[in-house]
Amino acid sequence: MRIKQLIQHNFLPHHTSVGVGKSTRKHWNLEKYQGKYGVGFKMITTSPYSSNFNHLTYFIKEAV
């Protein structure tokens, strides 16, 4: 549901990368992001392959 809300507000998936760090018990988490690629949100999901890595998907505000 949250992903649909982000897309409806013009925050579109930009790219996904792998981050180092311990995963939490939750399967995903959403954080505000402001950096190199723009302003938006970063979705952190647990890796199915290792508890030491996370998948980071960036939702960046599309310019209207």
Side-chain angles (χ1 to χ4, degrees):
M1 186 64 164
R2 281 218 167 169
I3 303 303
K4 287 183 182 181
Q5 289 176 338
L6 286 175
I7 293 172
Q8 287 175 350
H9 288 92
N10 292 328
F11 290 99
L12 301 178
H14 187 267
H15 71 281
T16 300
S17 63
V18 175
V20 178
K22 288 286 185 184
S23 300
T24 62
R25 287 188 166 202
K26 287 177 60 176
H27 292 290
W28 65 278
N29 190 21
L30 200 59
E31 296 180 356
K32 289 184 179 181
Y33 171 79
Q34 182 175 356
K36 179 178 175 181
Y37 302 108
V39 176
F41 292 89
K42 175 172 64 172
M43 183 175 70
I44 304 167
T45 56
T46 58
S47 173
Y49 306 110
S50 174
S51 62
N52 294 326
F53 296 99
N54 298 313
H55 295 279
L56 311 172
T57 303
Y58 294 86
F59 289 84
I60 305 301
K61 182 78 167 183
E62 180 184 66
V64 179

